Amino acid sequence: MPREVEPSKNERDFILEALQENVRLDGRSLDAFRSIDISFGDEHGTADVQLGRTRVLARISTSLTAPFPDRKFDGVFTINTELSPMASPAFEVGRPTDTEILLSRLLETSFRRSSALSTESLCLLAGQTVWSLTATAHVLSHDGNLLSACSIAILAALQHYRMPDTTVKGGEVTVYDSNERAPVPLALLHHPLCVTMALFDGGEMVVVDPTLREQQVCEGEIMVTANKHGEVCQIAKLGGVPADALAVLGCVEMAVNKVRALDTVVAEALEKDARKRDIGGLMAELRADNER
């Protein structure tokens, strides 16, 4: 299996010496994120996120299916990741790497196991018919911190998606086209986002949003998932240099502040897209509180 190109000894020494002087190769401060650009497709539920040179395309799809026997009142919520050779020569189609497996598990814990989406709202007929919703994150370019980029893309796509309206009558489910009834947004209970921090200098130095080169030379990583209300959904510390409790608490506090800023960026992008789609102010005319 191909491997990611490792930095040379000169590159490694240069990056580490620069960090000792609080200097990063791209000019950012140690606690700064790269520039974030969020765009949406013509259809609802498609979000394209660029975090520096890392790019992820998330897409939401739904279909009708039968529920799990032990979860008759819950729909199905699945998260998939696809890392293609286009993003990095280390990725192969049909052969998931450790990076892809870890990414999928962290995203599943962040969104599905934290109940970000109300699966009960996906139920149409208990024990018979439910919506199956799949969020797929396609990694188009890999320059570090895939977890944050994928979480931003999936959250933006979930908030952007509109589900077909339905009615249930006499045990029959009717799904309406968007021309017949306006689609409805998903029932999101909270908005989790992930922040990755790289550890250097025996865990004494913390670098937010590391690039690929910084991740390759770091001594360990801490991944924190939280929402804008300060509720922590997940803390992952997978090997590397040990970190004491106070250092972890400091990382969590820093991550919560970054999550609030990221949530604002996503909300602004969604608002901008809504204004672009609202041609002629039609939605304002249809508001219930509009003066007649």
Side-chain angles (χ1 to χ4, degrees), residues 71 77 108-119 187-192 233:
R71 306 295 294 270
F77 179 30
E108 181 175 334
T109 303
S110 301
F111 286 90
R112 195 173 68 85
R113 296 189 180 181
S114 70
S115 299
L117 174 65
S118 172
T119 54
L188 295 176
L189 303 180
H190 67 108
H191 301 161
C233 309

Side-chain angles (χ1 to χ4, degrees), residues 144-291:
N145 199 6
L146 288 178
L147 181 61
S148 293
C150 288
S151 70
I152 295 172
I154 290 176
L155 178 62
L158 287 172
Q159 290 184 263
H160 189 254
Y161 184 68
R162 296 294 182 268
M163 182 180 296
D165 196 8
T166 58
T167 58
V168 179
K169 186 176 182 180
E172 291 188 5
V173 177
T174 303
V175 180
Y176 294 97
D177 186 78
S178 59
N179 296 323
E180 298 174 317
R181 287 192 181 182
V184 294
L186 296 174
L188 295 176
L189 303 180
H190 67 108
H191 301 161
L193 287 167
C194 306
V195 177
T196 301
M197 290 159 283
L199 303 178
F200 295 88
D201 195 19
E204 297 295 325
M205 179 183 295
V206 178
V207 174
V208 176
D209 182 27
T211 61
L212 179 59
R213 282 289 182 261
E214 289 172 340
Q215 285 185 304
Q216 289 176 324
V217 303
C218 72
E219 300 172 16
E221 289 180 317
I222 294 181
M223 285 79 81
V224 178
T225 303
N227 57 34
K228 64 180 180 180
H229 305 296
E231 298 168 337
V232 178
C233 309
Q234 170 184 238
I235 301 176
K237 172 71 172 68
L238 307 173
V241 65
D244 58 31
L246 290 179
V248 174
L249 288 176
C251 290
V252 170
E253 183 178 358
M254 184 186 304
V256 170
N257 292 330
K258 295 300 178 184
V259 164
R260 292 193 177 106
L262 293 175
D263 189 82
T264 301
V265 172
V266 174
E268 290 176 351
L270 288 166
E271 184 179 354
K272 180 180 178 181
D273 180 77
R275 289 197 303 267
K276 185 173 65 174
R277 293 174 184 271
D278 186 15
I279 301 176
L282 178 61
M283 296 307 297
E285 294 293 333
L286 296 177
R287 285 175 60 92
D289 56 355
N290 183 46
E291 295 183 4

Side-chain angles (χ1 to χ4, degrees), residues 8 37 87 119 131 134 138 140 190 192 220 231 251:
S8 65
D37 180 63
T119 54
W131 284 110
T134 302
H138 303 270
L140 305 180
H190 67 108
E231 298 168 337
C251 290

